[in-house]
Amino acid sequence: MPRAGPKPSVVNKRGYVLHDGTDKLQPEKWAERVASLFSTYRADLVIAENNQGGDLVQSNLRSAYGFLPVKLVRAFRGKDLRAEPVAHLYAQGKVHHPTKALVELEEQMGMFGAAGFKGSPDRVDALVYAITELADLNGNAPKVGAVVISAGNRRH
């Protein structure tokens, strides 16, 4: 099931992760969650991973909340490779977590890539898409504002 993931924003060329709404929910509930986070944080964009149910995310959000701008992204590289540029931004002190409410995200970040890591790095994956978009790591126009992530997740 799709999930609403980390909610970052950019201020003064620094990234701030404000919220992690990652959860496995039924389609109508995750659409509500994404729309709520979009509104609460005055987001600019919803990103959906196309190769993990992005079409469903886009269709569901647009039919329930037509005003939400949705961008579909496709993963062409592995999670480790996609995460490297974002890890460099963290190492340079350019991404911050100004709230203590991100414990599960931070725990997953610490385990991601470690030998024996089991499970889906869903929180980290959503974070990487968000920071990649905001920090212009794909070479698009620079972004200022907020992004809410919603990506597909298979229920096991």
Side-chain angles (χ1 to χ4, degrees):
M1 293 286 102
R3 64 200 182 268
K7 184 355 211 128
S9 66
V10 174
V11 177
N12 297 327
K13 297 187 180 184
R14 300 267 188 250
Y16 296 88
V17 180
L18 305 176
H19 182 85
D20 176 17
T22 304
D23 202 351
K24 293 179 183 175
L25 303 168
Q26 294 300 317
E28 65 278 355
K29 294 295 182 193
W30 59 250
E32 285 176 21
R33 171 81 57 90
V34 170
S36 174
L37 290 171
F38 187 92
S39 175
T40 298
Y41 292 103
R42 296 186 304 223
D44 298 320
L45 185 64
V46 174
I47 298 176
E49 186 177 18
N50 197 31
N51 46 331
Q52 291 292 329
D55 290 332
L56 172 65
V57 171
Q58 185 175 28
S59 167
N60 216 18
L61 285 173
R62 290 218 167 123
S63 65
Y65 306 95
F67 65 91
L68 295 178
V70 177
K71 177 180 180 179
L72 296 178
V73 295
R74 180 169 295 282
F76 292 105
R77 300 183 299 159
K79 293 181 189 305
D80 290 349
L81 289 174
R82 287 196 316 268
E84 281 181 13
V86 173
H88 289 296
L89 293 176
Y90 272 93
Q92 295 168 1
K94 293 183 177 180
V95 181
H96 307 278
H97 297 184
T99 176
K100 304 255 187 241
L102 300 170
V103 173
E104 291 175 291
L105 170 63
E106 291 171 346
E107 285 176 358
Q108 194 176 84
M109 290 172 71
M111 295 183 299
F112 180 70
F117 175 71
K118 294 191 187 324
S120 171
D122 51 355
R123 296 170 192 278
V124 171
D125 204 26
L127 173 73
V128 166
Y129 280 121
I131 299 298
T132 297
E133 180 69 20
L134 287 171
D136 189 31
L137 297 177
N138 286 329
N140 299 316
K143 306 290 187 298
V144 177
V147 176
V148 173
I149 298 298
S150 178
N153 190 15
R154 295 184 186 141
R155 189 173 284 208
H156 301 284

